[in-house]
Amino acid sequence: MELQELFERLAILCISIFTLYYFSNRNRNIRLHPLLGLISVCTFFMCLVFTKAEYSLGVGFGLFAIFSILRFRTETFTIQTIVFLFVSITLSLLDGLLPIKNLEILLGINISIVVIYLILNYFEKKVTYRF
């Protein structure tokens, strides 16, 4: 991967994550922390490192174990936070690992995920849940 392609993929990721973050925090009682966007950028760079270096499957299981332990030692997250994290990590994995020559296809994938997220987020705000 060339340096220009790396910056283009990172720019697509950052714009997508900023859009998700901005529209997730509008008119909401529970705000997402700004540093949650950093998780996707870190995942993007980890994917780049893992594609360039030879690592065993044990490294992946070790990272999974570390994240699992951290999950049980932190406060409980809201559903919106979990969905935001899942979507941002998915976008970073796609942007870092998808072997596509044309970045327009990658941009189209990101735009479709962001648009679907925003539409569902809009409908979620309109519905009031009673428990």
Side-chain angles (χ1 to χ4, degrees):
M1 183 182 305
E2 298 176 358
L3 193 59
Q4 178 184 356
E5 182 182 0
L6 172 74
F7 284 129
E8 289 171 351
R9 287 176 180 251
L10 184 62
I12 290 171
L13 174 67
C14 289
I15 291 170
S16 300
I17 297 304
F18 177 76
T19 304
L20 291 176
Y21 177 78
Y22 177 75
F23 285 104
S24 292
N25 279 341
R26 288 183 50 201
N27 303 325
R28 188 173 292 276
N29 294 335
I30 301 170
R31 298 271 184 201
L32 296 176
H33 197 280
L35 293 178
L36 287 175
L38 189 61
I39 293 173
S40 61
V41 174
C42 292
T43 305
F44 175 79
F45 284 118
M46 277 184 8
C47 290
L48 289 178
V49 168
F50 286 155
T51 57
K52 299 297 179 194
E54 295 283 328
Y55 289 105
S56 68
L57 192 59
V59 173
F61 284 127
L63 284 172
F64 179 74
I66 289 171
F67 290 135
S68 297
I69 291 170
L70 287 175
R71 169 66 183 111
F72 290 117
R73 299 196 183 263
T74 60
E75 65 184 43
T76 306
F77 295 118
T78 63
I79 292 174
Q80 290 86 6
T81 305
I82 297 293
V83 170
F84 177 81
L85 279 174
F86 179 75
V87 171
S88 65
I89 289 173
T90 302
L91 287 173
S92 63
L93 289 173
L94 286 173
D95 291 343
L97 295 176
L98 202 60
I100 293 179
K101 299 282 184 196
N102 298 334
L103 288 178
E104 294 84 17
I105 296 171
L106 187 64
L107 183 61
I109 292 171
N110 274 358
I111 288 173
S112 63
I113 290 173
V114 168
V115 166
I116 291 170
Y117 179 90
L118 295 178
I119 290 171
L120 293 175
N121 195 18
Y122 173 76
F123 286 132
E124 187 270 331
K125 288 180 185 176
K126 293 293 181 188
V127 176
T128 56
Y129 297 101
R130 297 176 198 252
F131 294 103

